[in-house]
């Protein structure tokens, strides 16, 4: 007889590492096979896990900005059980935006920026400062949160100053890394001598 169907696996995702596990597993089983499905359409990965102390766990890396669900089945004496139901869907943080591809002054005190959208992003954050070394090491930066498009016009800047900008994606599961940094000097051209 094939082994009994195990319970639905528990799933967690930490950044880009998915963990599927079963506890209280029958110790006479040979192993548990896990199947990971991406975005409800594609079998992403399949793998087996040994049973240790009545527990089986399967780990794999996953892509940014996607949803994953997992099911499993037991293996014993050359036979598999039926598959369990799928777990709930769990999503990852969004991908990091590519570099800001458009940056131009729209006045003496404003800058227009545009970047390519990323899969899984709900909003974007834009961080700017007047000195590149302030990123990640100072409180001299400003972050604009909750931008719902892939373009933004920042106004109220100081004329004649160089500004540095970078963007990141945000969803309910967290924030991506920051894009590469771009800069622009705004203001009037100097008067000829």
């Amino acid at each position: 007889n094939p082994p009994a169907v195990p319970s639905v696996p528990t799933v967690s995702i930490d950044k880009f590492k998915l963990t599927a596990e079963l506890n209280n597993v029958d110790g006479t089983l040979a192993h548990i096979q896990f199947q990971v499905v991406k975005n409800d359409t594609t079998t992403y990965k399949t793998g087996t896990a040994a049973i240790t102390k009545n527990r089986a766990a399967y780990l794999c890396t996953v892509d940014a900005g996607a949803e994953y669900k997992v099911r499993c089945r037991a293996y014993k004496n050359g036979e598999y059980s039926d598959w369990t139901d799928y777990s709930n869907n769990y999503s990852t943080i969004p991908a990091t935006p590519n570099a800001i591809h458009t940056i131009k002054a729209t006045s003496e005190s404003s800058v227009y920026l545009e970047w390519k959208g990323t899969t899984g992003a709900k909003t974007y954050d834009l961080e700017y400062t007047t000195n590149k070394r302030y990123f990640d090491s100072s409180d001299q930066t400003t972050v604009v949160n909750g931008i719902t498009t892939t373009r933004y016009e920042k106004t109220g800047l100081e004329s004649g100053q160089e500004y540095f900008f970078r963007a990141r994606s945000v969803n309910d599961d967290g924030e991506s890394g920051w894009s590469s940094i771009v800069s622009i000097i705004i203001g009037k051209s100097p008067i000829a001598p």
Side-chain angles (χ1 to χ4, degrees):
N1 292 334
V5 178
S7 58
V8 175
T10 58
V11 178
S12 63
I13 294 179
D14 181 19
K15 296 208 178 191
F16 304 113
K17 184 178 81 175
L18 179 145
T19 303
E21 63 182 320
L22 283 177
N23 291 304
N24 302 317
V25 178
D26 178 356
T28 65
L29 296 173
H31 64 258
I32 301 292
Q33 184 178 46
F34 293 88
Q35 184 182 66
V36 181
V37 173
K38 180 179 178 180
N39 295 333
D40 288 326
T41 57
T42 308
T43 299
Y44 181 70
K45 290 188 179 177
T46 301
T48 59
I51 298 164
T52 306
K53 296 183 180 177
N54 296 82
R55 179 181 177 269
Y58 175 72
L59 284 74
C60 67
T61 57
V62 289
D63 298 329
E67 287 189 328
Y68 297 89
K69 62 184 178 182
V70 182
R71 65 180 180 171
C72 66
R73 62 184 178 175
Y75 181 79
K76 182 180 179 181
N77 298 330
E79 291 192 64
Y80 281 103
S81 70
D82 289 334
W83 288 104
T84 64
D85 291 334
Y86 283 104
S87 67
N88 293 329
N89 272 314
Y90 294 86
S91 55
T92 58
I93 63 173
T96 300
N98 291 331
I100 295 169
H101 59 75
T102 301
I103 181 169
K104 61 184 177 182
T106 53
S107 75
E108 292 178 30
S109 61
S110 61
V111 173
Y112 174 82
L113 304 114
E114 196 169 317
W115 56 93
K116 188 176 179 185
T118 60
T119 303
K122 276 182 118 175
T123 61
Y124 298 91
D125 292 343
L126 185 69
E127 185 177 30
Y128 66 94
T129 186
T130 56
N131 191 320
K132 187 176 182 178
R133 68 182 173 86
Y134 290 162
F135 288 122
D136 300 320
S137 64
S138 168
D139 61 359
Q140 297 297 308
T141 65
T142 302
V143 178
V144 180
N145 301 104
I147 302 168
T148 57
T149 64
T150 57
R151 58 190 174 280
Y152 188 77
E153 186 166 4
K154 177 60 190 148
T155 59
L157 300 173
E158 183 182 335
S159 182
Q161 180 69 52
E162 182 174 15
Y163 285 91
F164 298 85
F165 295 88
R166 64 184 185 174
R168 70 180 172 195
S169 307
V170 181
N171 68 14
D172 294 337
D173 297 295
E175 302 153 342
S176 73
W178 289 102
S179 69
S180 56
I181 298 166
V182 297
S183 68
I184 189 171
I185 298 172
I186 59 170
K188 291 181 178 178
S189 299
I191 298 171

